[in-house]
Amino acid sequence: MDVILSLPVTRNQRHCDHICVDGISKLPDEILVRILSHLPTKEAIATSILSKRWEYLWTSTSNLDFSDEFLTAYDNLAFRKQKSLIFKSYVDRAMFYHGRSILQKCTMIFHTKYFSANIYTWICALITCNIKELQLFDYSLTAQQLPWRLFTCKSLVVLKIHGSFVLNLPAYVCFPSLRVLNLVHVLLVDDASMHKLLSSCPVLEELLIVLGKVDFVRVLNISFPSLKTLGIYSELQDCRIEINTPCLEFLRHTVVFGNSSANLLSSLIWAELDGRFSINLFNAISHVWSLELNKHFMKQLSIIDLDSTIPTFNNLKEMKLHVGWDFDWKSVLKFLKWTPNLQVLVFPIGLLGLRTDGLDFFRFDWHWPELVPECLSMNVKTVEVCNFVGFEEELYFMKYLLECGKVMDKLIIRRFDFSKTPRIKKMVEDDKIMLEMLNYERASTNCEVVFTA
C-alpha cells in the first residue's frame, strides 16, 4: 500500500510562491519575448495556453526553428501523412502570426517529401519578416526551386542552403548585407549562375561551397576582396577553381578531381588541405601560420619531388598531419625540412590507421633516418600523437622524437580507444609501454612524456 504524506503549507511558503509568480508577471513583454526567443519554437508556442497575456506573446520572438525529423519515426504511412498535415498547420500558424515582425533567425530542416510544395511559400513569408539569418536544410533529395524574391533580400546577413535546390536565378540578384553564404549540394546549372550569385555579394566574409558530381560548373571563380573564411569541397571531374581572395584568413580546401589555383594568400592564418595535390595552391598558402594536411593530400606528398617543388613555410608554427596508411615516412621528414620554424606537430589520427574491416591496423616500415629536420631539432616544443597502440614501429618513432628534439618540452601520447573496436584486442599493456619509454634517451632534459586517453 502506498503511503502519501501531506504536509501543511506554511505561511512563508505561500508568501515565497506569491513572490515567484509576481516576479514573472511583472517582467515587461520585451524581456519575456527575449526569453522565449531562446526556446525551441514548439516550446515557445506552448506558452500561449498559460494566460491571455501569453497567448500571442510568442509571435514576437526573433527566432524560429522547424524540423520534420519526428515523422521518420512512423512506419505507418497513413499516420505519418496525418501528422504531416498537423506539422504544416503548425508552421503556417507560426508564419501567419509573425506577420511582418522582424525575424532574426529561422532554421528549417526537412527529412521527408511532404512539404516540397510549401517550402517556397514559407521562404516568401520569412522574407516579408526582413529575416537576417536563414538556414535551410532539405535531406529529402527532392529537386525544387527557390523563390526569386530570396535573391534580392536586402536584410539577409547569413544564408545557408543545404539540399537539392536548383540555383535558377532571376535577371537581377543583389545581397547587399550578406556576410555568410553556404551552398551545400545545391544544384548549380551553369558557370554563369554561380558567377552572378557570387558577384552579387559585395561584403561577403565567409563562403562554403560543396560541389557534387551532378553539378554543371566547369569554372568556379572565387574573387572577393572582403572574404576571410573559405571552404571548398568538389567532386567534379573537370572543374577548375580559381581563388583570388587577398584578405583570406581561413581556408578549408578539398578538390578530389579537377584542378585548383590561387593567387598569393599572404593574410592566411589557417589552412586545411585534402584531395588532389596542387603546387600552385601550395605556393599560394606558404605564409600560413597553422596547416592541416589530410590523408589523400599526404599520400601524394610521397610521389612528388619535394626538393624541387615545395616552398618554404617560414611562418608555420603549428601543423597537423593525417598519416597512418600507405605512404612514405621519408617524405614526411623531408617535408619538415621546409617548415624551419615549426613549434607544434600533431598526428590527429595516429601513426597506424585502422583497416576498413576493423580487424587490424595499417602498419608501416620505420627505418631510422639520417635526416633530422632543423625544426624538429631546434624549434619543435610539443608533439602530440593520437590513437597510439604500442606497436614496435610506433615506439621507434617515439624514440626518434625524444632523441632528436633538443628543445621539446612535451610529448603527448593519446591511447587508442579499444572499447570502440571490440573485434581488436589490446596486444601491449600500457604500463609496459610507459616503462619502456622512461628508459629512452632524451635530447631535452625538460621533456615531459604525457600518456593519456
Side-chain angles (χ1 to χ4, degrees):
M1 180 178 68
D2 295 333
V3 178
I4 300 176
L5 296 178
S6 179
L7 299 177
V9 178
T10 66
R11 182 178 180 181
N12 288 338
Q13 287 175 318
R14 286 196 299 269
H15 179 66
C16 184
D17 291 343
H18 179 70
I19 292 176
C20 291
V21 172
D22 282 350
I24 293 293
S25 63
K26 288 180 180 179
L27 288 175
D29 286 356
E30 181 183 354
I31 300 299
L32 294 177
V33 168
R34 189 175 299 179
I35 293 172
L36 291 179
S37 294
H38 287 83
L39 294 176
T41 300
K42 188 176 181 180
E43 295 179 12
I45 293 177
T47 63
S48 62
I49 66 172
L50 294 177
S51 68
K52 278 289 184 181
R53 183 193 177 192
W54 287 81
E55 187 173 0
Y56 297 106
L57 202 60
W58 66 271
T59 63
S60 299
T61 57
S62 59
N63 297 331
L64 291 176
D65 61 272
F66 308 103
S67 174
D68 69 346
E69 187 176 10
F70 71 97
L71 292 174
T72 61
Y74 300 115
D75 294 328
N76 187 300
L77 294 180
F79 188 69
R80 184 189 292 184
K81 190 170 184 179
Q82 180 186 0
K83 289 292 184 180
S84 70
L85 293 174
I86 297 173
F87 179 77
K88 177 186 176 300
S89 176
Y90 154 68
V91 179
D92 285 341
R93 182 183 176 217
M95 297 289 185
F96 173 79
Y97 280 113
H98 267 79
R100 292 181 176 273
S101 60
I102 295 177
L103 271 177
Q104 184 71 30
K105 178 181 178 181
C106 181
T107 302
M108 307 182 77
I109 304 174
F110 301 100
H111 294 265
T112 68
K113 301 179 181 180
Y114 292 110
F115 311 103
S116 298
N118 308 111
I119 294 176
Y120 189 102
T121 305
W122 288 337
I123 294 176
C124 289
L126 293 171
I127 295 171
T128 304
C129 297
N130 291 317
I131 188 163
K132 293 185 177 181
E133 180 174 347
L134 175 59
Q135 299 188 39
L136 186 59
F137 302 83
D138 187 2
Y139 301 107
S140 67
L141 302 179
T142 305
Q144 51 194 306
Q145 296 281 349
L146 291 165
W148 280 5
R149 290 179 59 191
L150 176 65
F151 300 102
T152 55
C153 184
K154 296 180 179 180
S155 61
L156 270 177
V157 177
V158 177
L159 177 59
K160 298 181 180 182
I161 305 176
H162 296 228
S164 302
F165 294 94
V166 180
L167 198 66
N168 183 20
L169 302 179
Y172 177 70
V173 180
C174 184
F175 286 116
S177 306
L178 197 67
R179 296 187 180 277
V180 178
L181 176 62
N182 287 9
L183 300 174
V184 179
H185 296 302
V186 175
L187 299 177
L188 308 174
V189 294
D190 54 30
D191 296 347
S193 295
M194 177 58 80
H195 178 72
K196 180 190 290 188
L197 177 63
L198 296 182
S199 60
S200 69
C201 310
V203 296
L204 197 68
E205 295 181 357
E206 181 179 326
L207 175 63
L208 171 64
I209 298 179
V210 177
L211 301 175
K213 296 179 181 178
V214 296
D215 289 311
F216 294 96
V217 177
R218 292 295 171 262
V219 178
L220 178 60
N221 191 338
I222 300 173
S223 182
F224 290 100
S226 58
L227 199 66
K228 295 181 179 179
T229 302
L230 173 62
I232 297 177
Y233 182 89
S234 173
E235 295 181 345
L236 291 177
Q237 291 280 354
D238 302 317
C239 181
R240 188 173 79 254
I241 299 172
E242 300 172 353
I243 302 172
N244 181 20
T245 51
C247 295
L248 196 68
E249 296 178 356
F250 304 95
L251 172 66
R252 178 175 277 113
H253 183 282
T254 299
V255 176
V256 181
F257 303 104
N259 59 77
S260 182
S261 63
N263 292 333
L264 184 64
L265 305 175
S266 56
S267 299
L268 204 63
I269 298 172
W270 177 89
E272 179 183 347
L273 305 182
D274 199 6
R276 188 170 182 176
F277 179 84
S278 168
I279 184 56
N280 175 274
L281 182 64
F282 223 43
N283 281 308
I285 68 166
S286 59
H287 290 272
V288 73
W289 287 67
S290 179
L291 179 62
E292 184 166 355
L293 302 180
N294 285 328
K295 57 185 182 181
H296 294 99
F297 202 95
M298 284 296 299
K299 188 173 183 179
Q300 293 185 63
L301 281 180
S302 63
I303 59 176
I304 63 174
D305 185 2
L306 295 176
D307 290 326
S308 61
T309 308
I310 300 298
T312 301
F313 289 77
N314 287 314
N315 295 335
L316 193 63
K317 297 294 188 293
E318 178 183 275
M319 184 162 61
K320 295 182 180 179
L321 300 179
H322 290 245
V323 299
W325 65 328
D326 186 21
F327 73 99
D328 183 7
W329 266 96
K330 291 180 181 179
S331 64
V332 175
L333 297 176
K334 190 175 288 188
F335 178 59
L336 291 176
K337 174 182 176 183
W338 306 107
T339 61
N341 299 308
L342 189 69
Q343 295 181 5
V344 178
L345 178 61
V346 181
F347 297 92
I349 63 172
L351 306 176
L352 298 172
L354 188 64
R355 291 188 181 274
T356 54
D357 58 11
L359 296 175
D360 200 358
F361 298 91
F362 288 106
R363 308 292 287 270
F364 62 91
D365 292 326
W366 175 260
H367 301 286
W368 199 276
E370 296 179 1
L371 172 70
V372 178
E374 178 186 352
C375 66
L376 188 59
S377 175
M378 303 303 297
N379 288 310
V380 171
K381 295 182 178 180
T382 302
V383 178
E384 181 176 345
V385 179
C386 300
N387 291 326
F388 187 81
V389 178
F391 287 146
E392 192 175 57
E393 51 266 48
E394 291 177 289
L395 292 171
Y396 283 152
F397 184 64
M398 299 300 105
K399 190 174 183 180
Y400 174 77
L401 292 174
L402 291 170
E403 290 190 12
C404 296
K406 295 180 180 179
V407 298
M408 191 163 63
D409 54 29
K410 186 172 289 188
L411 173 60
I412 304 171
I413 302 172
R414 301 191 182 277
R415 295 187 294 268
F416 182 85
D417 187 359
F418 282 92
S419 65
K420 296 180 180 180
T421 54
R423 294 189 293 177
I424 300 181
K425 294 182 179 180
K426 187 185 294 188
M427 297 181 180
V428 185
E429 293 300 324
D430 295 340
D431 292 342
K432 184 178 179 181
I433 296 173
M434 292 178 63
L435 184 61
E436 186 170 346
M437 285 190 181
L438 288 174
N439 295 324
Y440 288 165
E441 293 183 13
R442 304 182 191 185
S444 171
T445 56
N446 297 323
C447 184
E448 177 187 8
V449 179
V450 180
F451 203 66
T452 183

